[in-house]
């Protein structure tokens, strides 16, 4: 429940994410979540279907770097 003056949702972009830890494997879709760590030092809990969607998005966005 949001308190007066608190945002009920926050919009982030993939470029702002430093790290995301997913707790989705073996969990019911409504109990899955991810902890997302941002470039500005903030961290957010992303729950349910949004956690699965974020996991899919970040998996697709991964880039493999090879040393020169």
């Amino acid at each position: 429940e949001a308190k007066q003056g608190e945002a009920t949702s926050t919009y982030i972009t993939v470029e702002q994410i430093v790290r995301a830890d997913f707790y989705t494997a073996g969990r019911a879709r409504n109990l899955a979540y991810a902890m997302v760590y941002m470039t500005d030092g903030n961290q957010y809990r992303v729950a349910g279907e949004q956690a699965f969607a974020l996991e899919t998005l970040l998996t697709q966005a991964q880039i493999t770097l090879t040393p020169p």
Side-chain angles (χ1 to χ4, degrees), residues 3 5-6 14 18 24-26 29 32-33 36 47 56-57 62:
K3 296 177 184 167
E6 287 184 347
V14 172
V18 174
T24 54
R29 291 189 89 74
Y33 68 97
V36 180
T56 300
L57 177 67
Q62 284 182 357

Side-chain angles (χ1 to χ4, degrees), residues 32-63:
Y33 68 97
M35 291 303 299
V36 180
Y37 302 89
M38 310 300 289
T39 56
D40 62 5
N42 287 324
Q43 64 184 37
Y44 299 98
R45 179 183 167 112
V46 177
E49 290 293 331
Q50 290 184 337
F52 283 101
L54 181 61
E55 186 175 33
T56 300
L57 177 67
L58 292 180
T59 299
Q60 292 172 351
Q62 284 182 357
I63 298 170

Side-chain angles (χ1 to χ4, degrees), residues 22-35:
F22 293 95
Y23 303 91
T24 54
R27 293 181 184 259
R29 291 189 89 74
N30 64 330
L31 299 177
Y33 68 97
M35 291 303 299

Side-chain angles (χ1 to χ4, degrees), residues 3-29:
K3 296 177 184 167
Q4 185 175 1
E6 287 184 347
T8 56
S9 61
T10 300
Y11 295 92
I12 60 176
T13 63
V14 172
E15 293 81 15
Q16 295 174 293
I17 298 172
V18 174
R19 186 178 102 222
D21 299 328
F22 293 95
Y23 303 91
T24 54
R27 293 181 184 259
R29 291 189 89 74

